[in-house]
Structures are given as C-alpha cells and as structure tokens.
Amino acid sequence: MKIVIHNSLKHFLYKTLLNYNIYNEVLINFKAMKLKLLIVAILIITSCKQEKKTVAESTDIDKNKVDNSIDVKNIALEIYDYEGIEKFLNKKDDKIYVINFWATWCAPCVKELPYFEKLNSEYRDKNVEVILISLDFPHLYESKLKPFIKKRGLKSKVIALNDDDMNTWIPKVNKDWSGAIPATIIYKNDSSKFFEQSFTYDELETELKQFLN
Amino acid sequence: MKKTIKLMSALVLILCISAFTMNNSDFGGYKVGDVAEDFSLKNIDGKMVSLSDYKDAKGFIVTFTCNTCPFAVAYEDRLVELDKKYTEKGYPVIAIMPNNTDVKPGDNMEAMKKRAKEKGFTFPYLMDEGQKVYPKFGATKTPHIYILEKTKKGNVVKYIGAIDDSPRNPSGVKVKYVENAVDALLSGKEVELKETKAIGCSIKV
C-alpha cells in the first residue's frame, strides 16, 4: 500500500516536472481556478485538523475516583466473555445495530456517549438499537461502571465484555481493529461497517442513515 | 505575477502531498519487515535520546505508553521487568509518550518525570514532542509495542502488538509475546507470532 502511493507520487512529480512548460501555460489560464483550489485545499486541511482536536479531551483516569455514594443494587449488568458477546454482533433480524466499544476510563469514549444515547432515543422507533459494550476492568464493575450507568442515566443497553484473550477476539470483531477504543460497528443483517475513531453526533447520524436507506 | 502563480502551484502541490502522507501515516506506519527511522526525542532527564546512541544494542523494545491510560499503567511494572531482563542481553526498553499534552495534561513532562520516579523506570521515557514519531510507527494506542532488530540495513521491525496475553491481570499471563519474540531474535530464529492485538487507549491528538 505504502509503496504504491510512493510510486504514484513519484510518477506524478516526474510528469509534472516534464510538462512544466505546458503546465505553466495552463496555469495562467486557470489561475482563478487554482486560487479557488488553494483555498479549498487549505480549508480542507485546517478543518481536518480542527476535527481531530474536537475528538480529544482531558484526562479521565485521574478523575476515576471510586464512587460509593450511588446505590447500584438495582442496576443489572450482563457480563459476557467474547463467545457471549458474539450473538450481539451477528443478529439477522432486519434491525440496525449500533455497537460501541467503550470504557469509563476512556475519555474520548465518555465524550461521545451522549451522541450514542441521543441516537438511541431518536431512532429507537425506526428499528435501530444501540448497544454499549463496556471494557471496564472487572474489579471496577460495582464501584465504577454501575455508578456511572446510574449517574448518567444511560438508556441504551450496556453489557460488559470480560475476556482477557484479546488477541483472539479483537480480530474476530474486525480484522482491521488495532484494539484502540472508542470503536464502533454499525450493522444490519450481513452488511456492516467498522470505525476505529471518535464520532460527533452528525457523523454518527450520517453513517446510520446509510443503513436506513 | 507568473512568480506568484508558480509559488501558488508549488504550495498546492505541497499541500496535496502532505495530505497524502498524512493519510498514509494515519492508516499505515511500519509493518513487520520495515526499517524504522531513527528519532531524537527528549528524555525525562532533559537529554536527547536516539536509537543510534545505543552502540552495543542488538535491538530495541520500543513501547508507546503514557501515564493516563489504565491499560498502559497496568503494564508499567512488566515494562521495568522486561528492561531489567533484556537490556543486558542487548534489547533495552525505550518508552515513548505519544499523547498531545494539551489534551492530556496528565502526560506532560512533569507528570512523566513524577510517574517514572514513582514506578522506578529503568528505561528512557521520551516525549514525542510535536507528535511526529508515533505516526511513522503507525502506533494507534497506548500501550503499543514495536520490537526492532539492529541489522546492517537498519532497525528492522520484527514484532508489533501487546506485551503479553493478559493486559489487565499480570497473574493470568499464559503467553509472553514480547519475551518470546526477543528470545527468538537472540537465538537467531524467526519471530513466530509477529503481530498481536490488545485493547488500549487511542493516542490523543
């Protein structure tokens, strides 16, 4: 992949240099167009960078205090190994599933959770279900994950994945997944799309709509 | 006028190319078998560190790690153990902190110094200032390990992935991926398991 790009780039540069005189003539005719292109290019690149910035946010781990003040007795949490999780990733019931891998310790995950919640509430009656798969540490289910679910009033289904054999199950979720979270799958029956990235609400909705149509 | 046009077209070209390479590094980075470029990054003691400083090393255990990711923190003690065991055999640990510290102040130089002291890091803990090194490697998360072997053509990537098969629970480790890989290299063998996957925190940009 890398070599292909490099070679095509070299080829492109080579050709550009060869045809420089012609290229220059053409440029004069199209200078107005070029100026537009330049502006567009700058806009695209700066907007890319800005978008990346919004994805990021502040440290979470140092805020991860154990919260004992919340009563979590009535919070039920389903816990599965990967085999148990697989059934949620392979349903064939014509419903659209939005599966988000997250954890309370993952700051960008926590940041995008409200968007998944919003998606769930707005599209629930359109045959869409959001499932949040938590990768929290098992010894913190009671003291951290459950209080978080209650405090945030999460309406989407939250299930916990407790399976240390990550090198086996990560590639099964998606062969391109490096293991970084947040990660999201949107699927309907046999068509599915995987994202190793953070979302804004608009981006998430745009991706969902491709499955709705 | 002609000059401005030339300048502009050059600028457009540069922008196109940089957009290309940005894309490339986002999804690419080193694969097993690639030669890793050397770097010069600031250590917590203020000195600059490069791979070429290690004249006697046979290779390196390069790890992208940070203070603020629970999965990275879970591996701190195991990193120290790795360094103690393999530095003398020629494979020192080199830790690089790739996060944007504006986003993660808990990973800034002061915090790195403090953490290294608390945990007794025996290896350099380098700041990827300007976040230029991690994209070259193609690291996406912390922790993310790259084992390099020093050869005549350069430092060749021999393994990419996790340290072992039990990130959250050190007592549950069954397979020590990194140790197996370095042991193989030390005895002149091929690394059997060249790539592994584990959950980690996305690198903060």
Side-chain angles (χ1 to χ4, degrees):
Chain A
M1 188 62 194
K2 211 174 158 190
I3 295 161
V4 174
I5 288 168
H6 270 268
N7 280 344
S8 63
L9 209 64
K10 263 186 212 162
H11 190 66
F12 174 53
L13 282 171
Y14 181 58
K15 269 197 128 173
T16 313
L17 286 172
L18 265 186
N19 298 329
Y20 187 72
N21 282 332
I22 310 162
Y23 181 64
N24 221 10
E25 293 292 325
V26 174
L27 263 181
I28 292 162
N29 294 334
F30 288 94
K31 58 182 177 186
M33 217 173 167
K34 271 282 167 188
L35 190 68
K36 267 188 207 165
L37 198 73
L38 177 71
I39 292 164
V40 169
I42 289 169
L43 278 177
I44 288 170
I45 285 163
T46 47
S47 72
C48 276
K49 283 206 167 155
Q50 272 169 356
E51 217 159 286
K52 276 195 167 177
K53 282 268 184 234
T54 59
V55 162
E57 62 160 70
S58 66
T59 305
D60 208 40
I61 192 171
D62 41 24
K63 288 186 229 151
N64 276 3
K65 285 175 288 182
V66 172
D67 197 336
N68 293 321
S69 60
I70 295 173
D71 180 21
V72 293
K73 273 192 224 87
N74 47 12
I75 300 267
L77 180 69
E78 295 172 42
I79 301 158
Y80 298 97
D81 59 7
Y82 183 70
E83 219 184 300
I85 288 288
E86 243 176 343
K87 66 170 180 262
F88 296 100
L89 307 180
N90 295 297
K91 293 195 178 182
K92 306 216 190 289
D93 53 7
D94 293 328
K95 205 168 173 178
I96 301 164
Y97 289 92
V98 180
I99 312 283
N100 176 240
F101 290 89
W102 70 292
T104 59
W105 49 258
C106 162
C109 303
V110 170
K111 189 183 178 184
E112 67 175 8
L113 266 188
Y115 312 141
F116 285 88
E117 282 285 281
K118 188 176 170 192
L119 199 79
N120 192 49
S121 69
E122 295 205 348
Y123 287 90
R124 202 168 25 203
D125 52 2
K126 294 184 182 74
N127 213 22
V128 175
E129 185 177 351
V130 174
I131 299 176
L132 306 171
I133 300 182
S134 160
L135 289 160
D136 275 86
F137 286 49
H139 69 278
L140 297 175
Y141 287 161
E142 294 300 317
S143 59
K144 189 84 217 315
L145 179 58
K146 284 186 179 180
F148 183 94
I149 294 168
K150 185 156 186 184
K151 209 166 161 183
R152 297 277 180 135
L154 296 184
K155 299 279 187 296
S156 310
K157 185 180 180 68
V158 180
I159 51 181
L161 169 54
N162 179 16
D163 196 329
D164 267 325
D165 192 10
M166 293 168 185
N167 190 43
T168 305
W169 64 256
I170 288 173
K172 282 186 191 169
V173 173
N174 188 282
K175 64 174 173 50
D176 296 324
W177 187 15
S178 79
I181 57 170
T184 299
I185 300 167
I186 303 177
Y187 82 91
K188 181 185 179 183
N189 299 331
D190 287 323
S191 67
S192 138
K193 216 169 161 188
F194 175 80
F195 309 88
E196 183 174 325
Q197 63 168 79
S198 295
F199 277 106
T200 62
Y201 183 71
D202 288 345
E203 288 167 346
L204 194 59
E205 195 179 32
T206 305
E207 292 297 344
L208 176 68
K209 278 181 177 163
Q210 294 189 18
F211 283 84
L212 281 166
N213 298 329
Chain B
M1 192 61 202
K2 221 172 175 184
K3 253 193 174 166
T4 358
I5 293 162
K6 268 188 204 170
L7 211 71
M8 260 164 48
S9 57
L11 210 69
V12 170
L13 203 67
I14 289 164
L15 285 172
C16 288
I17 293 166
S18 60
F20 242 113
T21 42
M22 260 166 64
N23 234 346
N24 198 16
S25 58
D26 271 358
F27 299 100
Y30 300 140
K31 302 274 178 294
V32 171
D34 287 352
V35 174
E37 221 176 279
D38 201 354
F39 46 75
S40 180
L41 296 175
K42 194 183 264 180
N43 194 6
I44 42 174
D45 64 4
K47 294 187 183 122
M48 300 305 282
V49 172
S50 295
L51 297 178
S52 58
D53 299 340
Y54 291 75
K55 303 286 179 221
D56 300 327
K58 293 172 185 161
F60 304 92
I61 302 168
V62 175
T63 175
F64 292 90
T65 187
C66 67
N67 301 337
T68 54
C69 172
F71 271 74
V73 169
Y75 269 117
E76 287 171 333
D77 293 337
R78 282 174 274 181
L79 274 180
V80 173
E81 290 305 309
L82 269 179
D83 187 57
K84 280 182 183 159
K85 184 170 175 185
Y86 287 102
T87 291
E88 57 188 52
K89 293 182 177 178
Y91 276 82
V93 168
I94 312 278
I96 302 173
M97 203 301 293
N99 288 336
N100 178 347
T101 54
D102 292 337
V103 176
K104 287 268 175 190
D107 284 325
N108 67 23
M109 194 43 116
E110 282 313 306
M112 282 167 64
K113 283 179 192 170
K114 191 164 164 260
R115 191 67 190 162
K117 202 175 170 192
E118 279 167 8
K119 298 303 289 184
F121 283 2
T122 49
F123 44 82
Y125 191 20
L126 313 175
M127 170 72 82
D128 187 0
E129 185 95 55
Q131 300 188 292
K132 297 208 169 59
V133 173
Y134 89 78
K136 284 188 181 167
F137 276 78
T140 56
K141 60 190 163 55
T142 53
H144 206 154
I145 285 90
Y146 291 75
I147 298 178
L148 312 177
E149 184 185 31
K150 208 192 261 184
T151 69
K152 275 179 192 152
K153 60 172 180 169
N155 294 304
V156 178
V157 178
K158 290 290 180 178
Y159 171 85
I160 302 173
I163 291 179
D164 56 44
D165 66 346
S166 182
R168 299 183 298 191
N169 177 18
S171 58
V173 175
K174 289 192 217 68
V175 189
K176 296 179 170 181
Y177 302 134
V178 165
E179 292 201 21
N180 290 352
V182 178
D183 287 343
L185 292 170
L186 284 169
S187 54
K189 289 182 199 143
E190 262 299 287
V191 175
E192 269 183 47
L193 194 55
K194 296 182 175 69
E195 271 183 76
T196 58
K197 299 282 176 73
I199 293 296
C201 305
S202 55
I203 289 171
K204 307 302 181 290
V205 291

